[in-house]
CSV table of all heavy atoms in Angstrom, one decimal:
chain,number,residue,atom,x,y,z
D,1089,PRO,N,42.9,-74.7,-5.6
D,1089,PRO,CA,43.7,-75.0,-6.9
D,1089,PRO,C,43.0,-75.9,-7.9
D,1089,PRO,O,43.3,-75.8,-9.1
D,1089,PRO,CB,45.0,-75.5,-6.4
D,1089,PRO,CG,44.7,-76.1,-5.0
D,1089,PRO,CD,43.7,-75.2,-4.4
D,1090,ASP,N,42.1,-76.8,-7.4
D,1090,ASP,CA,41.5,-77.7,-8.3
D,1090,ASP,C,40.1,-77.3,-8.7
D,1090,ASP,O,39.4,-78.0,-9.5
D,1090,ASP,CB,41.4,-79.1,-7.6
D,1090,ASP,CG,42.8,-79.7,-7.3
D,1090,ASP,OD1,43.7,-79.5,-8.1
D,1090,ASP,OD2,42.9,-80.3,-6.2
D,1091,ALA,N,39.6,-76.2,-8.2
D,1091,ALA,CA,38.2,-75.7,-8.5
D,1091,ALA,C,38.2,-75.0,-9.8
D,1091,ALA,O,39.1,-74.4,-10.3
D,1091,ALA,CB,37.8,-74.7,-7.4
D,1092,LYS,N,37.0,-75.2,-10.5
D,1092,LYS,CA,36.7,-74.4,-11.7
D,1092,LYS,C,36.2,-73.1,-11.3
D,1092,LYS,O,35.3,-73.0,-10.4
D,1092,LYS,CB,35.7,-75.2,-12.5
D,1092,LYS,CG,36.1,-76.5,-13.1
D,1092,LYS,CD,35.0,-77.2,-13.9
D,1092,LYS,CE,35.5,-78.5,-14.4
D,1092,LYS,NZ,34.5,-79.2,-15.2
D,1093,ILE,N,36.7,-72.0,-11.9
D,1093,ILE,CA,36.4,-70.7,-11.5
D,1093,ILE,C,35.5,-70.1,-12.6
D,1093,ILE,O,35.8,-70.2,-13.8
D,1093,ILE,CB,37.6,-69.8,-11.3
D,1093,ILE,CG1,38.5,-70.4,-10.3
D,1093,ILE,CG2,37.2,-68.4,-10.9
D,1093,ILE,CD1,39.9,-69.7,-10.1
D,1094,PHE,N,34.3,-69.5,-12.3
D,1094,PHE,CA,33.5,-69.0,-13.3
D,1094,PHE,C,33.0,-67.6,-13.0
D,1094,PHE,O,33.1,-67.1,-11.8
D,1094,PHE,CB,32.2,-69.9,-13.5
D,1094,PHE,CG,31.2,-69.9,-12.4
D,1094,PHE,CD1,30.2,-69.0,-12.4
D,1094,PHE,CD2,31.4,-70.8,-11.3
D,1094,PHE,CE1,29.2,-69.1,-11.3
D,1094,PHE,CE2,30.5,-70.8,-10.3
D,1094,PHE,CZ,29.4,-70.0,-10.3
D,1095,SER,N,32.6,-66.9,-14.0
D,1095,SER,CA,32.2,-65.5,-13.9
D,1095,SER,C,31.0,-65.3,-14.9
D,1095,SER,O,31.1,-65.8,-16.0
D,1095,SER,CB,33.3,-64.6,-14.3
D,1095,SER,OG,32.8,-63.2,-14.4
D,1096,ILE,N,29.9,-64.7,-14.4
D,1096,ILE,CA,28.8,-64.4,-15.3
D,1096,ILE,C,28.7,-62.9,-15.4
D,1096,ILE,O,28.6,-62.2,-14.4
D,1096,ILE,CB,27.5,-65.0,-14.7
D,1096,ILE,CG1,27.5,-66.5,-14.7
D,1096,ILE,CG2,26.3,-64.5,-15.6
D,1096,ILE,CD1,26.3,-67.1,-14.2
D,1097,THR,N,28.7,-62.4,-16.6
D,1097,THR,CA,28.7,-60.9,-16.8
D,1097,THR,C,28.1,-60.5,-18.1
D,1097,THR,O,28.1,-61.3,-19.1
D,1097,THR,CB,30.2,-60.4,-16.7
D,1097,THR,OG1,30.2,-59.0,-16.8
D,1097,THR,CG2,31.0,-61.0,-17.8
D,1098,SER,N,27.7,-59.3,-18.2
D,1098,SER,CA,27.2,-58.7,-19.5
D,1098,SER,C,28.2,-57.6,-19.9
D,1098,SER,O,27.9,-56.9,-20.9
D,1098,SER,CB,25.8,-58.2,-19.3
D,1098,SER,OG,25.7,-57.2,-18.3
D,1099,GLY,N,29.2,-57.4,-19.1
D,1099,GLY,CA,30.2,-56.3,-19.3
D,1099,GLY,C,31.3,-56.7,-20.2
D,1099,GLY,O,32.0,-57.7,-19.9
D,1100,ILE,N,31.5,-56.0,-21.3
D,1100,ILE,CA,32.6,-56.3,-22.2
D,1100,ILE,C,34.0,-56.2,-21.6
D,1100,ILE,O,34.9,-57.0,-21.8
D,1100,ILE,CB,32.6,-55.4,-23.5
D,1100,ILE,CG1,31.3,-55.6,-24.3
D,1100,ILE,CG2,33.8,-55.6,-24.4
D,1100,ILE,CD1,31.1,-57.0,-24.8
D,1101,ALA,N,34.2,-55.2,-20.7
D,1101,ALA,CA,35.5,-55.0,-20.1
D,1101,ALA,C,35.8,-56.2,-19.2
D,1101,ALA,O,37.0,-56.7,-19.2
D,1101,ALA,CB,35.4,-53.7,-19.2
D,1102,ILE,N,34.8,-56.7,-18.5
D,1102,ILE,CA,35.1,-57.9,-17.6
D,1102,ILE,C,35.3,-59.1,-18.4
D,1102,ILE,O,36.2,-59.9,-18.1
D,1102,ILE,CB,33.9,-58.1,-16.6
D,1102,ILE,CG1,33.8,-56.9,-15.6
D,1102,ILE,CG2,34.1,-59.4,-15.9
D,1102,ILE,CD1,32.7,-57.0,-14.6
D,1103,MET,N,34.6,-59.2,-19.6
D,1103,MET,CA,34.9,-60.4,-20.5
D,1103,MET,C,36.3,-60.4,-21.0
D,1103,MET,O,37.0,-61.4,-21.0
D,1103,MET,CB,33.9,-60.3,-21.6
D,1103,MET,CG,32.5,-60.6,-21.3
D,1103,MET,SD,31.4,-60.6,-22.8
D,1103,MET,CE,29.8,-60.5,-22.1
D,1104,LYS,N,36.8,-59.2,-21.3
D,1104,LYS,CA,38.2,-59.1,-21.8
D,1104,LYS,C,39.2,-59.4,-20.7
D,1104,LYS,O,40.2,-60.1,-20.9
D,1104,LYS,CB,38.5,-57.6,-22.2
D,1104,LYS,CG,37.8,-57.3,-23.6
D,1104,LYS,CD,38.1,-55.9,-24.0
D,1104,LYS,CE,37.4,-55.5,-25.3
D,1104,LYS,NZ,37.7,-54.1,-25.7
D,1105,MET,N,38.9,-59.0,-19.4
D,1105,MET,CA,39.8,-59.3,-18.3
D,1105,MET,C,39.8,-60.8,-18.1
D,1105,MET,O,40.8,-61.5,-17.8
D,1105,MET,CB,39.4,-58.5,-17.1
D,1105,MET,CG,39.8,-57.1,-17.1
D,1105,MET,SD,39.5,-56.2,-15.5
D,1105,MET,CE,37.8,-55.8,-15.7
D,1106,ASN,N,38.6,-61.4,-18.1
D,1106,ASN,CA,38.5,-62.9,-17.9
D,1106,ASN,C,39.3,-63.6,-19.0
D,1106,ASN,O,40.0,-64.6,-18.7
D,1106,ASN,CB,37.0,-63.3,-18.0
D,1106,ASN,CG,36.2,-63.0,-16.8
D,1106,ASN,OD1,36.8,-62.7,-15.7
D,1106,ASN,ND2,34.9,-62.9,-16.9
D,1107,THR,N,39.2,-63.2,-20.2
D,1107,THR,CA,39.9,-63.8,-21.3
D,1107,THR,C,41.4,-63.8,-21.1
D,1107,THR,O,42.1,-64.8,-21.3
D,1107,THR,CB,39.5,-63.2,-22.7
D,1107,THR,OG1,38.1,-63.3,-22.9
D,1107,THR,CG2,40.3,-63.9,-23.8
D,1108,GLN,N,41.9,-62.7,-20.6
D,1108,GLN,CA,43.3,-62.5,-20.4
D,1108,GLN,C,43.8,-63.5,-19.3
D,1108,GLN,O,44.9,-63.9,-19.2
D,1108,GLN,CB,43.6,-61.1,-20.0
D,1108,GLN,CG,43.5,-60.1,-21.2
D,1108,GLN,CD,43.5,-58.6,-20.7
D,1108,GLN,OE1,43.6,-58.3,-19.6
D,1108,GLN,NE2,43.5,-57.7,-21.7
D,1109,LEU,N,42.9,-63.8,-18.4
D,1109,LEU,CA,43.2,-64.7,-17.3
D,1109,LEU,C,43.1,-66.2,-17.6
D,1109,LEU,O,43.4,-67.1,-16.8
D,1109,LEU,CB,42.3,-64.4,-16.0
D,1109,LEU,CG,42.6,-63.0,-15.3
D,1109,LEU,CD1,41.6,-62.7,-14.3
D,1109,LEU,CD2,44.0,-63.1,-14.7
D,1110,GLY,N,42.5,-66.4,-18.8
D,1110,GLY,CA,42.4,-67.8,-19.3
D,1110,GLY,C,41.0,-68.4,-19.2
D,1110,GLY,O,40.7,-69.6,-19.4
Side-chain angles (χ1 to χ4, degrees):
D1090 298 323
K1092 294 180 179 180
I1093 305 173
F1094 70 93
S1095 171
I1096 295 183
T1097 182
S1098 59
I1100 296 298
I1102 294 180
M1103 290 183 197
K1104 288 181 178 178
M1105 285 186 276
N1106 283 341
T1107 300
Q1108 291 170 354
L1109 291 170

